[in-house]
Amino acid sequence: MSRYLELPTGITRIDVEYCRPGFTSAWLVREGNQAVFVETGPLPAVGILLGALTRHGMAPEAVQAVIVTHVHLDHAGGAGALLRHLPNACLLVHPRGLQHITDPSRLVAGAKVVYGEERFQTILGGAMPVDPSRIHCPTDGEVFSLCGRSLRFLDTPGHSLNHLCLLDEQTHGLFTGDAFGLSYREFDGGIRPLFLPATTPTQFDVGQMRATCRRLADLQPKWLYLTHFGPLPFVTAMGDDLDAQLEKYQQLVMETNEKNRLGDLTSALADMTKNQMMALQIPKAAMDQFDLLQMDLELNAQGLTLWHDRCHRRVDS
């Protein structure tokens, strides 16, 4: 798989090679003599992002903005370091993510809890703070103009409270972050692509995510520009698949035994996903790579468990 995929619309998909090739995308959007990055990937990916500019003969001064869909470090961990190379760029981030971008210490500490110190250092590497004077927090519906190309922000909670999606009105394509799930190209070849919800810790909320998925699907985009992973033409059934899975996720977390909820839920999500793959008639060679989904399924189980516990505490109180 190529590190850089050029779309015929002034968009470059950049494989930031987080965890493995084909797992995490960032995007370079070019219009005229200007550009923006959408997502940065983790800190070690900065050199790969700058390589996309070199590939197009663009100077760092041409970049007008770095846009992150949310502040999880696989999406925004490179933001502070990248901006140090881009003198004319501002950072666009959800208002609820502002404190974590200017002081990423809590994000780093939380990620170390999830991944462990050694794995954290290997795949994420840390995060540099961003000067508040270089940050703008767009509101729902706000438009960023890139040489007349309209990029419209959408407030899309569910995966996290600080999640934004971005509609490129020129291609009617959505940069979805984690709001519209995960889909990896290793599992292509069935009736349609396999989608999984991204219910990872710590702010996941099933009701908000279902509402966000419906909102995005109702836009009937022509393209989905997925962070995990790559461009896909949109079909309505993708939104239906995600909504049905989220409903089932909610049911499963309620049914699992409290004493071993995390382990039982991870197993239940794996079984459910295998059934989904069979229903989509995904080829056996692809299904044999099922272990590639293990980290996502474990993180999904963690996020569902935390969501369940929050709801339970509200009822008890």
Side-chain angles (χ1 to χ4, degrees):
M1 182 177 293
S2 173
R3 177 179 284 178
Y4 304 105
L5 174 66
E6 304 296 341
L7 306 182
T9 53
I11 297 176
T12 303
R13 188 272 292 144
I14 306 166
D15 187 342
V16 299
E17 300 178 4
Y18 167 66
C19 291
R20 69 171 192 270
F23 185 63
T24 302
S25 308
W27 306 85
L28 180 68
V29 183
R30 294 169 285 109
E31 191 67 31
N33 61 354
Q34 296 182 348
V36 301
F37 283 107
V38 182
E39 310 283 52
T40 70
L43 180 61
V46 169
I48 297 174
L49 300 175
L50 295 173
L53 292 177
T54 302
R55 180 182 176 89
H56 290 284
M58 302 189 82
E61 290 79 7
V63 179
Q64 303 302 298
V66 175
I67 301 168
V68 294
T69 60
H70 60 298
V71 300
H72 287 169
L73 295 179
D74 57 326
H75 296 253
L82 180 62
L83 281 168
R84 298 183 184 197
H85 296 274
L86 308 175
N88 297 327
C90 61
L91 178 72
L92 301 178
V93 63
H94 192 287
R96 289 179 178 266
L98 177 61
Q99 63 177 327
H100 297 295
I101 287 291
T102 56
D103 177 8
S105 57
R106 288 180 60 191
L107 280 178
V108 169
K112 287 180 178 179
V113 170
V114 172
Y115 293 102
E117 178 73 35
E118 182 177 353
R119 184 163 173 77
F120 171 86
Q121 294 298 339
T122 300
I123 65 174
L124 290 170
M128 296 182 181
V130 177
D131 184 340
S133 68
R134 299 189 67 183
I135 299 174
H136 174 66
C137 296
T139 57
D140 186 60
E142 184 173 331
V143 172
F144 181 89
S145 180
L146 180 69
C147 278
R149 182 175 189 157
S150 293
L151 304 172
R152 185 176 301 277
F153 290 93
L154 306 171
D155 192 352
T156 49
H159 176 76
S160 72
L161 292 173
N162 61 75
H163 201 293
L164 292 166
C165 289
L166 190 67
L167 177 66
D168 172 28
E169 295 189 348
Q170 181 167 303
T171 63
H172 203 56
L174 278 169
F175 295 93
T176 59
D178 284 343
F180 204 77
L182 320 168
S183 182
Y184 301 121
R185 307 286 59 80
E186 292 93 342
F187 301 100
D188 287 349
I191 296 172
R192 59 181 173 272
L194 173 72
F195 269 78
L196 300 179
T199 68
T200 49
T202 58
Q203 296 179 339
F204 165 72
D205 182 275
V206 68
Q208 289 179 334
M209 180 170 276
R210 292 184 73 181
T212 281
C213 287
R214 286 192 294 270
R215 181 187 186 189
L216 297 179
D218 286 348
L219 291 172
Q220 289 292 298
K222 291 182 180 178
W223 288 95
L224 300 174
Y225 304 127
L226 301 171
T227 304
H228 308 289
F229 174 81
L232 282 176
F234 172 80
V235 295
T236 301
M238 294 172 175
D240 297 336
D241 286 348
L242 280 171
D243 191 65
Q245 287 180 83
L246 285 165
E247 184 176 22
K248 182 64 174 176
Y249 273 29
Q250 184 174 1
Q251 178 184 342
L252 286 173
V253 73
M254 298 297 183
E255 291 175 349
T256 49
N257 188 292
E258 183 177 357
K259 291 183 178 180
N260 192 35
R261 176 166 286 125
L262 192 57
D264 290 349
L265 186 55
T266 302
S267 297
L269 295 182
D271 291 342
M272 175 183 162
T273 303
K274 289 174 183 176
N275 290 335
Q276 175 86 349
M277 295 170 78
M278 289 187 286
L280 292 173
Q281 299 177 26
I282 289 175
K284 182 180 183 301
M287 292 189 67
D288 286 345
Q289 301 181 77
F290 188 83
D291 285 349
L292 292 176
L293 298 176
Q294 188 61 35
M295 183 176 75
D296 286 313
L297 293 171
E298 291 174 357
L299 290 172
N300 276 1
Q302 290 176 31
L304 283 164
T305 299
L306 287 172
W307 168 77
H308 173 272
D309 291 346
R310 285 200 309 272
C311 292
H312 188 69
R313 284 197 298 271
R314 288 188 204 126
V315 171
D316 287 347
S317 62

